[in-house]
Amino acid sequence: MTSFEIAPGVGLGDGFPLLILAGPCVLEERDTCLRIGEAALRATERLGLGYVFKASFDKANRTSVSSCRGPGLEAGLGLLADIGKTLGVPLVTDIHEPWQAAPAAEVVDILQIPAFLCRQTDLLVACARTGKPVNVKKGQFLAAEDMASVLGKLKAGGASKMALTERGTTFGYHNLVVDMRGLAVMRDLGVPVIFDATHSVQLPGGQGTSSGGQRQFIGPLTRAAAAVGIDGLFLETHPNPAEARSDGANSLPLDELGSLLERVLKIHEARG
């Protein structure tokens, strides 16, 4: 399996510690973002894990037109750069249009493709051409083996540092299910695999004008994914999920992050 360095001392795949990508769903006030990032950094440093701060500058696929989308590209990238410099950590953010790839790549260390957009050829190629690592979330509508074609598009664009993320599969209306076999299938494609623990418990559109979530299942699913075998763990976390600007229903309370990572690490290490 291909592994790669993201930043000095931080990498993904064989030979690197489990990588944690954690932060709020969408960029909020600087103080809130730093509080989240500092807590995640303390937890990962204590456990010897890699850490990347994650947040979106624009949530372009919110359920309602009136939902909070974030600060936008220019202000969002500025805030991300500030957070990365202050905390001294790598950054990941998602983009939605090909023209966003180049400016985002100047600031963040990993470009991420949202699940809904994972087959968008121009978007994938634009990310690949930046030379930055690209993490693609598997579409809720795709089988794990279908991601081979996604990787093919990235390779055609010149990408060599690629990862795939499992975030659940559509299971009827307003529901997702995680097929743990998909983690092994995608890892067999030769790239590191990340488990998105919080979007996997989302109930898409489950609250009418917004998505719901079942955060009580974050722990069980995360432990199961670690037992199957993962290279990274993606988590949206917030000091007060009820007040989060986006995806609060499926966000992990920040004060539970450390204990969750402890349990996951024990399982990850037990696999050898």
Side-chain angles (χ1 to χ4, degrees):
M1 182 191 68
T2 302
S3 58
F4 52 86
E5 189 174 60
I6 296 165
V10 180
L12 183 63
D14 291 341
F16 293 101
L18 186 70
L19 183 67
I20 308 302
L21 302 88
C25 177
V26 68
L27 282 166
E28 299 188 17
E29 289 78 8
R30 180 179 186 273
D31 289 348
T32 300
C33 291
L34 287 177
R35 177 182 174 185
I36 295 170
E38 287 167 353
L41 182 59
R42 285 195 302 270
T44 52
E45 285 184 335
R46 176 171 59 86
L47 297 171
L49 304 175
Y51 176 56
V52 176
F53 178 85
K54 65 81 44 190
S56 299
F57 58 79
D58 181 17
K59 300 301 292 183
N61 59 357
R62 294 300 304 274
T63 303
S64 171
V65 70
S66 61
S67 297
C68 171
R69 289 184 54 165
L73 180 71
E74 185 175 354
L77 290 179
L79 179 53
L80 282 168
D82 179 27
I83 293 168
K85 182 178 180 180
T86 301
L87 298 178
V89 299
L91 305 164
V92 59
T93 197
D94 48 310
I95 68 168
H96 298 82
E97 300 183 57
W99 65 268
Q100 296 175 337
E106 294 180 4
V107 173
V108 304
D109 302 272
I110 305 173
L111 294 174
Q112 184 166 278
I113 305 296
F116 285 137
L117 303 177
C118 70
R119 288 177 49 136
Q120 296 297 103
T121 302
D122 291 345
L123 183 60
L124 292 163
V125 171
C127 287
R129 287 177 175 166
T130 68
K132 288 294 180 79
V134 183
N135 176 39
V136 185
K137 291 194 174 184
K138 181 184 75 66
Q140 302 93 323
F141 44 86
L142 291 179
E145 57 267 26
D146 295 339
M147 296 304 286
S149 295
V150 172
L151 294 175
K153 293 179 180 183
L154 288 173
K155 292 174 183 176
S160 60
K161 300 178 179 181
M162 300 167 286
L164 297 176
T165 294
E166 170 61 54
R167 53 93 71 230
T169 301
T170 299
F171 190 68
Y173 298 121
H174 309 308
N175 199 16
L176 299 171
V177 67
V178 178
D179 181 357
M180 293 294 172
R181 297 174 300 177
L183 295 169
V185 170
M186 292 194 294
R187 212 162 185 260
D188 284 345
L189 296 177
V191 298
V193 169
I194 299 167
F195 179 60
D196 182 342
T198 46
H199 285 103
S200 291
V201 301
Q202 190 180 61
L203 300 176
Q207 295 180 349
T209 58
S210 64
S211 293
Q214 298 175 310
R215 72 168 64 93
Q216 69 268 29
F217 296 121
I218 293 173
L221 287 180
T222 303
R223 295 193 296 272
V228 172
I230 54 175
D231 304 286
L233 180 63
F234 181 102
L235 291 157
E236 291 185 340
T237 182
H238 197 277
N240 186 351
E243 295 182 359
R245 302 284 176 80
S246 176
D247 280 1
N250 53 270
S251 290
L252 180 74
L254 186 60
D255 60 6
E256 297 179 15
L257 178 61
S259 60
L260 175 67
L261 294 183
E262 288 177 7
R263 297 186 184 97
V264 170
L265 180 57
K266 289 179 181 178
I267 298 171
H268 181 72
E269 291 178 336
R271 293 188 73 255

